[in-house]
Amino acid sequence: MKQFFVDLTMRSFLVFILVILSLTAFKNARAVEVKDLYLARVVVASQSITDRNAAFKDALDIVLVKVSGQKGILQNPIIKQQRARYKSFVNNFRYERKNQQNLLVVSFDEAKINQLFVGANLPIWGSLRPQIVIWMVEERQLTREIVSANSQSPLNSVIKTVEDNRGLPFIMPMMDLTDNNQISTSEVWGRFIQPIIRASLRYQPEAIVVIRMSDNSLLLDQHLMPKEACLTNCENVVALDWSFLSMANADVIPHLGERVYGKDKHALLASTLSKISDMVANRYAVTTDTKQDFIIDVANVDSLFQYVEITNFLSQLSSVKAVKLVKANGNTRRFSLSLLGSEQAFLSALKLNKSLKRYVDPLDPASMQGTPLFHWESL
């Protein structure tokens, strides 16, 4: 009986430590500044005008989706109309040769793209974006393997392509000695939350995605029929399912995505990552048709230089249209922000940046009410 209570106490202590670590990981989660949001690379058959113009259209679509975070943006009537003027958005272009393919690299005018979004009341997603660690296990018959950053799996190329085209920074585990001591393939396959969070801490992600791909145990019975008993479309089928866990809510059940089936595992993975990108963008992208003022206080402004730093920082956020100083009291400055979108979208975006941290008194729940108070940490 005594040993039982010792074991129970130890398990409770370990759970407590894990919760503290997961909260610390969220506080230290780093956003990644995604570069080249207004640039796209498209495969071209030749350098002819016809092929180049077709590539311009494809490249513009990639940039529109990347800047908004939403694939559905291409169905907007105003966007459809303006896509016909694709040449007017092009800044410059060049050709590249990579992996035995000819690429057209197109750079688009940032101001014109943003103005198009504002005119259409569509979401704009800034360059500071949440980092997502992907734990993916590929099952091939009787073997299961975690796809790592160092593996030669073609699936890594699929992830890189989606990352480039959607502007969402994915990171794959290294599966070095540290990772192998933290987690096993069976724990990832079983989607055990605690080991997955523990192994993810070193990557400081904003969120975790677990993907399982299988040509065996995740398939339906009809997919596993012998070839002679198969009626139609049931040869070489693979299955994929996924789950999503935000580090902001690491103590809750992960969001479970759908299970999908198909013959092309690369297409299944690309489609899944695209859906996940849409889901993440819904949380952080800024809706331009909701304009409002929001008041914040910054407590530790000790110099004119810091004031200028803070003003510039706020002005450069994609969720902020204008910044105005309305009050100065000691070292505290009160700013009125004209937001493009909701207060929640603005606060979610700030969580991705370490420069401006909201102060919350853990002993005073009322500190979450009223005017938000922030502390500035120099860039």
Side-chain angles (χ1 to χ4, degrees):
M1 181 63 71
K2 181 179 180 181
Q3 182 63 40
F4 169 79
F5 284 112
V6 169
D7 291 342
L8 181 61
T9 301
M10 181 59 69
R11 285 198 297 270
S12 300
F13 175 73
L14 291 174
V15 170
F16 172 76
I17 291 297
L18 181 61
V19 170
I20 294 300
L21 287 174
S22 65
L23 291 175
T24 303
F26 170 66
K27 289 180 180 179
N28 293 329
R30 292 179 181 174
V32 175
E33 183 177 4
V34 178
K35 300 184 183 301
D36 296 332
L37 283 180
Y38 298 85
L39 181 145
R41 288 176 169 83
V42 180
V43 176
V44 289
S46 72
Q47 296 187 16
S48 69
I49 295 177
T50 300
D51 287 340
R52 183 166 67 234
N53 286 341
F56 279 161
K57 294 178 183 179
D58 293 339
L60 178 59
D61 287 350
I62 290 172
V63 167
L64 291 173
V65 171
K66 188 158 50 170
V67 172
S68 71
Q70 299 289 337
K71 194 171 183 179
I73 191 177
L74 300 179
Q75 304 306 314
N76 179 276
I78 295 178
I79 295 296
K80 280 186 175 182
Q81 183 183 32
Q82 292 300 314
R83 284 166 70 200
R85 300 176 53 249
Y86 58 91
K87 287 185 180 179
S88 66
F89 295 98
V90 175
N91 257 350
N92 53 67
F93 66 91
R94 68 180 188 274
Y95 289 95
E96 285 183 358
R97 179 76 176 172
K98 187 176 181 180
N99 296 330
Q100 299 182 335
Q101 289 182 317
N102 295 316
L103 301 175
L104 181 66
V105 184
V106 190
S107 176
F108 293 90
D109 189 300
E110 179 177 348
K112 288 183 179 179
I113 295 290
N114 289 349
Q115 186 56 47
L116 172 60
F117 276 59
V118 172
N121 292 327
L122 289 170
I124 297 175
W125 201 2
S127 61
L128 200 63
R129 301 192 174 188
Q131 182 160 273
I132 297 175
V133 62
I134 298 177
W135 293 93
M136 178 164 58
V137 176
E138 184 179 11
E139 180 182 63
R140 294 187 295 271
Q141 292 302 312
L142 300 178
T143 64
R144 293 172 181 169
E145 181 182 2
I146 295 176
V147 180
S148 72
N150 303 316
S151 70
Q152 300 301 313
S153 171
L155 296 175
N156 277 339
S157 297
V158 176
I159 294 171
K160 177 60 178 174
T161 298
V162 176
E163 179 181 31
D164 290 342
N165 290 347
R166 298 304 298 267
L168 193 60
F170 297 125
I171 185 168
M172 303 295 291
M174 290 182 284
M175 294 313 299
D176 53 8
L177 183 61
T178 300
D179 281 340
N180 281 297
N181 285 335
Q182 293 280 352
I183 197 166
S184 66
T185 302
S186 60
E187 287 172 323
V188 178
W189 183 266
R191 297 186 286 200
F192 296 122
I193 298 176
Q194 294 180 1
I196 291 172
I197 291 176
R198 183 174 62 241
S200 299
L201 294 181
R202 66 184 297 202
Y203 300 106
Q204 298 183 318
E206 173 74 9
I208 300 168
V209 171
V210 178
I211 296 174
R212 304 189 301 176
M213 185 175 292
S214 168
D215 63 359
N216 187 9
S217 62
L218 297 183
L219 297 179
L220 300 173
D221 289 341
Q222 58 264 36
H223 297 145
L224 297 172
M225 286 181 175
K227 290 185 178 180
E228 57 271 16
C230 181
L231 298 177
T232 58
N233 298 324
C234 53
E235 294 183 50
N236 303 320
V237 176
V238 292
L240 182 151
D241 63 19
W242 59 277
S243 56
F244 180 92
L245 176 66
S246 170
M247 292 298 283
N249 301 294
D251 57 340
V252 301
I253 297 175
H255 169 79
L256 295 177
E258 62 186 336
R259 180 174 295 178
V260 291
Y261 304 91
K263 294 184 177 182
D264 188 339
K265 61 184 178 181
H266 304 109
L268 286 180
L269 178 58
S271 175
T272 294
L273 293 177
S274 182
K275 291 177 183 177
I276 292 171
S277 299
D278 284 341
M279 183 176 69
V280 174
N282 276 331
R283 177 176 179 182
Y284 292 104
V286 179
T287 305
T288 59
D289 62 354
T290 306
K291 298 179 175 63
Q292 59 178 314
D293 291 331
F294 186 46
I295 304 296
I296 67 168
D297 286 336
V298 182
N300 58 328
V301 187
D302 300 325
S303 64
L304 177 61
F305 176 77
Q306 281 190 328
Y307 164 72
V308 173
E309 261 193 330
I310 296 166
T311 303
N312 289 339
F313 168 79
L314 292 170
S315 299
Q316 291 171 8
L317 293 175
S318 62
S319 56
V320 177
K321 181 181 181 182
V323 180
K324 181 181 179 182
L325 178 67
V326 295
K327 186 179 180 182
N329 183 15
N331 290 337
T332 300
R333 300 293 183 270
R334 174 163 291 184
F335 295 92
S336 175
L337 310 179
S338 178
L339 299 183
L340 290 169
S342 67
E343 297 175 6
Q344 188 57 48
F346 168 74
L347 294 173
S348 293
L350 282 187
K351 287 180 181 178
L352 297 178
N353 194 291
K354 286 187 167 185
S355 297
L356 201 60
K357 292 185 177 180
R358 187 171 183 178
Y359 172 76
V360 178
D361 187 344
L363 301 179
D364 181 14
S367 64
M368 289 294 291
Q369 308 299 320
T371 303
L373 178 63
F374 292 88
H375 284 241
W376 173 252
E377 295 186 10
S378 295
L379 296 169

